[in-house]
Amino acid sequence: MENTLGATPAHESEVPTARALFLGFLMLGLTAFGGALPLAHRMVVERRRWLTDVEFTELLGLCQFLPGGNIINLSVAIGMRFRGVRGAVAAILGLIAAPSAIVVMLGIVYERYQHDPQVEHLFAGLAAAAAGLLVSMAIKIALPLRKKPLLAAIAMVSFVAIAVLRLPLLWTMLALTPISIWLTAKVAK
């Protein structure tokens, strides 16, 4: 079965329904504070097998290039891939419903206790955990590139340009994306 974008799902027998997309992203939204991508990878690739590792990496690459939050873009893209507009709406509603309510409630609590030293320590610990999750995700995304040295080199140049040289993300992506596409097409021949 071909989806609305013309691509064949990774696992034909496991094409998720709109309800499954909603519930999957609802659970992701409930459990992914401060770093949803590693948990999204675990849910989409490892547990539910909606996408392969390569498909996830390619779709995430597209979502990172688009404006907006990566996980928001990813939920819409996955929903759209499997169930069209209905799936995209189900996935994004699942992703944002519970976290939106929780954030509003936590904002009310934070406003009252923000100057408490224990609350400040709590947020410092949460920031460290979120950074660790992002490093974990970066490693998982980079692993499929180990057999593609040219693309690994592009990834390394991107990292150096953005993280070390502090070049603007948009200009770096606009410069390196065409090079990456050209290299991928040339290697595929």
Side-chain angles (χ1 to χ4, degrees):
M1 177 178 152
E2 220 170 81
N3 61 42
T4 57
L5 297 178
T8 303
H11 306 280
E12 195 68 43
S13 62
E14 299 178 22
V15 173
T17 63
R19 183 173 187 267
L21 288 165
F22 176 82
L23 293 175
F25 281 100
L26 179 69
M27 289 307 296
L28 181 64
L30 280 170
T31 57
F33 282 88
L37 287 176
L39 297 176
H41 181 272
R42 187 175 305 148
M43 177 193 80
V44 171
V45 176
E46 297 169 13
R47 285 191 189 154
R48 297 180 188 248
R49 301 185 188 281
W50 290 342
L51 300 175
T52 65
D53 235 356
V54 171
E55 290 169 329
F56 183 85
T57 301
E58 290 174 354
L59 199 56
L60 180 60
L62 173 66
C63 292
Q64 288 176 327
F65 187 72
L66 298 173
N70 295 334
I71 190 63
I72 297 287
N73 294 342
L74 191 63
S75 70
V76 171
I78 290 173
M80 190 75 181
R81 177 181 172 131
F82 291 115
R83 293 292 169 188
V85 173
R86 186 172 177 220
V89 170
I92 195 165
L93 284 179
L95 183 67
I96 66 172
S100 296
I102 291 170
V103 166
V104 169
M105 288 187 300
L106 287 177
I108 293 169
V109 172
Y110 180 72
E111 188 173 312
R112 181 175 171 98
Y113 298 105
Q114 64 183 319
H115 300 296
D116 185 317
Q118 291 180 346
V119 172
E120 291 174 357
H121 291 304
L122 172 73
F123 279 96
L126 288 174
L133 286 171
L134 284 176
V135 169
S136 168
M137 184 65 205
I139 291 169
K140 283 184 177 180
I141 289 174
L143 284 178
L145 296 178
R146 68 180 182 260
K147 295 178 182 173
K148 300 174 181 175
L150 285 175
L151 297 181
I154 291 287
M156 186 57 70
V157 169
S158 300
F159 174 78
V160 169
I162 296 167
V164 178
L165 301 176
R166 303 282 184 190
L167 297 176
L169 173 67
L170 177 63
W171 297 115
T172 304
M173 295 292 285
L174 287 175
L176 293 178
T177 299
I179 295 170
S180 179
I181 292 169
W182 180 77
L183 283 174
T184 303
K186 190 166 178 89
V187 169
K189 287 183 181 179

